[in-house]
Amino acid sequence: MAEFDELFATALRSLDRPAPDRVVMVMDAGVAGRAADLLVRESQCCSFFTFGLAPSADALRLTIEVPATYVPVLDALTARAATAAGLIG
């Protein structure tokens, strides 16, 4: 979790919750390698997460989806990310 907190605190620009089971985070483009490594390791631990990375020249779009039974886990991760990034108080 400390690595996620650090990533969110230093690179997260915005997040959107288009559905209860999905969150879309926009991060600085320069963290693509670090984010990919972290997501691979997280997938080994928590296989219920589905991660999608879409890099562009100026941003990295991270989509996270979970089955309905894991929405509370996604809720907690989303709140943690928003807090770490200073998007909510």
Side-chain angles (χ1 to χ4, degrees), residues 7-89:
L7 181 66
F8 297 146
T10 60
L12 184 60
R13 294 182 189 171
S14 66
L15 58 84
D16 183 36
R17 192 77 182 262
D21 62 346
R22 184 172 42 151
V23 65
V24 178
M25 300 181 181
V26 177
M27 300 186 183
D28 296 334
V31 300
R34 188 171 68 176
D37 175 64
L38 185 56
L39 298 178
V40 166
R41 289 185 283 135
E42 187 65 21
S43 293
Q44 293 170 350
C45 164
C46 302
S47 61
F48 57 87
F49 283 116
T50 300
F51 298 109
L53 283 177
S56 68
D58 63 341
L60 175 67
R61 182 181 168 108
L62 167 61
T63 302
I64 306 171
E65 295 185 64
V66 297
T69 54
Y70 290 99
V71 166
V73 176
L74 187 59
D75 291 341
L77 179 63
T78 302
R80 187 175 190 111
T83 300
L87 300 175
I88 61 171

Side-chain angles (χ1 to χ4, degrees), residues 1-8 38 80:
M1 286 312 298
E3 288 182 79
F4 271 112
D5 288 345
E6 195 273 332
L7 181 66
F8 297 146
L38 185 56
R80 187 175 190 111

